[in-house]
Amino acid sequence: MPTAPAREITAASRLDNVRYAIRDLACVADEVIQQGHQVLPLNVGDPLNFDFQTPPHIIEAAYKAMRDGKNGYAPSPGIPEALEAIRGEAVRKGITTVRDIFVTAGVSETVDLCLAALVNPGEDVLTPSPDYPLYSAVLCKLGIKLNVYDLDEDDGWQPEIADIQRKLTPGTRGIVLINPNNPTGSLCTRQMLEQIAELARRHNLIVFSDEIYDKLILDSENGKDTPHLAFAAVAPDVPCVTFGGMSKNYLVPGWRIGWGIVSGDAAAVKAYTEGVHRLLRARLCANHPEQYAIKPALEGPQDHLVEVRRKLRSRRDLTQKWCESTPRVSCVAPRGAFYAYPRIDIPESDEIFVKELIRQKHVMVVHGSGFGQKPGTQHFRIVFLPDEQTLTRAYAGIAEFLRERYR
Ligand SMILES: Cc1ncc(COP(=O)(O)O)c(C=O)c1O
């Protein structure tokens, strides 16, 4: 029998700044669903919620691995045939100085391990603003003070080099690039990658280049897909971990398969790589049977990507046209991934805007303040994965909401 009332178990205070607006909005959506409405979900970047299907040969490979008894622990860095396939992929990406490769439970775990292996208390890592919120969440978890640099909306959301220079501290150890970017859909130019490389050389930084959307480039030149430019290909000498994975390019976000490719000067990255491997061993391994799908995915037919990009281009164009023709809305055209990050000119916070939009029009987007933005600006993130008909309905709802609320 209890002798005293149970005392509250509190969460660690270092989590106070952990935000994940994308999922936090779910409670508002639940309210609306309980009232019997359907919500148009333009908030979660999961292609499998829409008309995209996993290539069958990839599913078959994972299924076969399970049937063949590959259900025990895998080697901590990953199974050899997957590591070899990722090495081949690195070569195709133009990365010539590969020093190490490891497989993780999604890029999410790569981010977690790579940041944890780098920073000591009092040090910091530069992260973009707006950013994909996992980076700040992991740094908060590690008790590291956030140090964010701006992406410049007036320059197609390129990193602002002057701001990066201003934000460098004696304790800055690394810089995060997200390219193609979530939430803006932007791509770094070669010149930008070169400038960041120069900065990294001068200040002894490691670059974490998150390239999880590298096969979802929506730009084309002379009828041909524009190739993605990997940071590590532009700066082979600079210590870098390139993040890649299966979730988006191969349409299996639920499998949790990602990887890190370490490149740069061999002596410079040696001790850090050993640190990463200590953490890799401590967490045992990434999902085992799914790793057998990495080689068939990277080396097998890539036909699905042609279809995915065709759909995404059409949906991006529709989104952009809507942004250009809607009062109070403007948007830098997305060039990769499946996100648009329009700016809105409204007299209240974008969080109120987004919550009221769900309540009144049953359309769910994510507020810019959930990703970070320059003071005085308001944005929202659209996931343009749904089909054209759904997007058209959602955009009509948003336009009507803007008209009615801010006459
Ligand atoms: C930029 C970026 N990095 C990493 C992730 C996480 O990917 P994964 O499913 O491989 O953990 C996402 C997911 O949306 C993302 O947008």
Side-chain angles (χ1 to χ4, degrees):
M1 286 289 281
T3 51
R7 269 192 300 156
E8 185 185 21
I9 309 295
T10 55
S13 52
R14 65 178 184 280
L15 303 188
D16 289 351
N17 289 327
V18 174
R19 59 195 157 78
Y20 206 80
I22 304 166
R23 291 192 182 247
D24 291 349
L25 286 175
C27 353
V28 186
D30 284 347
E31 261 173 50
V32 172
I33 292 164
Q34 270 164 19
Q35 291 158 8
H37 302 290
Q38 240 194 333
V39 172
L40 294 177
L42 274 56
N43 62 316
V44 179
D46 183 348
L48 279 276
N49 285 347
F50 306 97
D51 59 344
F52 298 88
Q53 281 95 35
T54 309
H57 72 282
I58 300 179
I59 295 178
E60 200 44 54
Y63 183 40
K64 180 175 183 307
M66 287 183 198
R67 282 198 319 260
D68 289 350
K70 312 290 189 192
N71 301 306
Y73 291 123
S76 293
I79 61 168
E81 70 170 73
L83 297 176
E84 218 28 59
I86 298 165
R87 191 173 290 277
E89 180 70 3
V91 170
R92 284 190 291 279
K93 281 167 76 72
I95 307 176
T96 54
T97 54
V98 176
R99 308 298 175 200
D100 191 55
I101 292 169
F102 48 88
V103 179
T104 52
V107 168
S108 302
E109 197 192 23
T110 330
V111 171
D112 199 76
L113 294 180
C114 285
L115 291 174
L118 182 73
V119 274
N120 292 301
E123 295 175 343
D124 63 79
V125 174
L126 281 157
T127 55
S129 171
D131 84 330
Y132 175 62
L134 175 66
Y135 288 93
S136 29
V138 169
L139 289 165
C140 285
K141 183 174 92 171
L142 294 168
I144 298 297
K145 195 162 167 259
L146 297 184
N147 187 7
V148 303
Y149 67 90
D150 287 330
L151 303 182
D152 185 358
E153 188 167 15
D154 295 331
D155 185 21
W157 292 116
Q158 295 296 308
E160 249 186 71
I161 288 289
D163 194 47
I164 296 176
Q165 275 162 336
R166 264 196 304 276
K167 301 285 171 63
L168 281 164
T169 73
T172 305
R173 301 287 313 282
I175 177 163
V176 173
L177 279 184
I178 305 177
N179 178 37
N181 189 268
N182 177 5
T184 66
S186 62
L187 293 178
C188 283
T189 60
R190 176 183 286 275
Q191 194 195 14
M192 179 53 59
L193 297 179
E194 281 166 356
Q195 287 186 62
I196 288 169
E198 199 39 47
L199 222 121
R201 286 184 196 107
R202 236 179 307 133
H203 298 277
N204 201 27
L205 306 180
I206 185 165
V207 175
F208 297 121
S209 189
D210 184 334
E211 301 180 8
I212 189 168
Y213 299 99
D214 65 350
K215 298 189 188 207
L216 304 181
I217 307 296
L218 307 180
D219 275 5
S220 51
E221 288 154 19
N222 308 322
K224 283 205 172 130
D225 290 345
T226 305
H228 177 256
L229 204 51
F231 174 84
V234 172
D237 58 312
V238 173
C240 175
V241 189
T242 302
F243 302 163
M246 300 267 285
S247 293
K248 316 289 179 171
N249 291 339
Y250 294 98
L251 303 166
V252 284
W255 283 11
R256 317 306 304 126
I257 291 287
W259 52 77
I261 302 168
V262 182
S263 59
D265 179 88
V269 295
K270 186 168 180 287
Y272 171 70
T273 307
E274 282 168 10
V276 171
H277 276 264
R278 246 175 278 159
L279 288 177
L280 285 166
R281 288 191 292 274
R283 69 40 151 153
L284 301 182
C285 67
N287 308 347
H288 188 182
E290 289 86 346
Q291 291 189 47
Y292 287 87
I294 295 176
K295 183 179 161 77
L298 294 177
E299 296 178 3
Q302 306 290 306
D303 307 346
H304 73 284
L305 282 169
V306 176
E307 181 61 8
V308 169
R309 285 191 293 258
R310 186 191 65 71
K311 285 182 179 173
L312 291 182
R313 282 190 180 119
S314 155
R315 293 165 198 189
R316 185 266 314 262
D317 292 349
L318 187 144
T319 302
Q320 191 58 24
K321 230 191 241 161
W322 176 78
C323 289
E324 282 165 8
S325 61
T326 304
R328 295 186 180 270
V329 178
S330 59
C331 188
V332 174
R335 303 174 59 203
F338 35 68
Y339 307 103
Y341 200 56
R343 184 164 176 169
I344 32 170
D345 176 17
I346 53 168
E348 61 186 343
S349 78
D350 47 29
E351 184 168 352
I352 295 179
F353 166 83
V354 160
K355 288 184 173 164
E356 282 309 305
L357 179 67
I358 302 172
R359 290 194 181 105
Q360 294 183 32
K361 301 294 171 189
H362 317 142
V363 177
M364 196 156 163
V365 293
V366 183
H367 42 293
S369 40
F371 299 97
Q373 56 196 347
K374 281 190 181 172
T377 65
Q378 329 264 31
H379 297 82
F380 63 97
R381 190 192 72 169
I382 296 170
V383 171
F384 55 78
L385 285 168
D387 61 40
E388 285 75 356
Q389 215 183 345
T390 310
L391 286 178
T392 304
R393 259 182 34 233
Y395 296 154
I398 303 176
E400 198 175 82
F401 179 74
L402 283 164
R403 251 192 333 268
E404 290 168 0
R405 195 168 173 89
Y406 312 109
R407 283 166 210 289

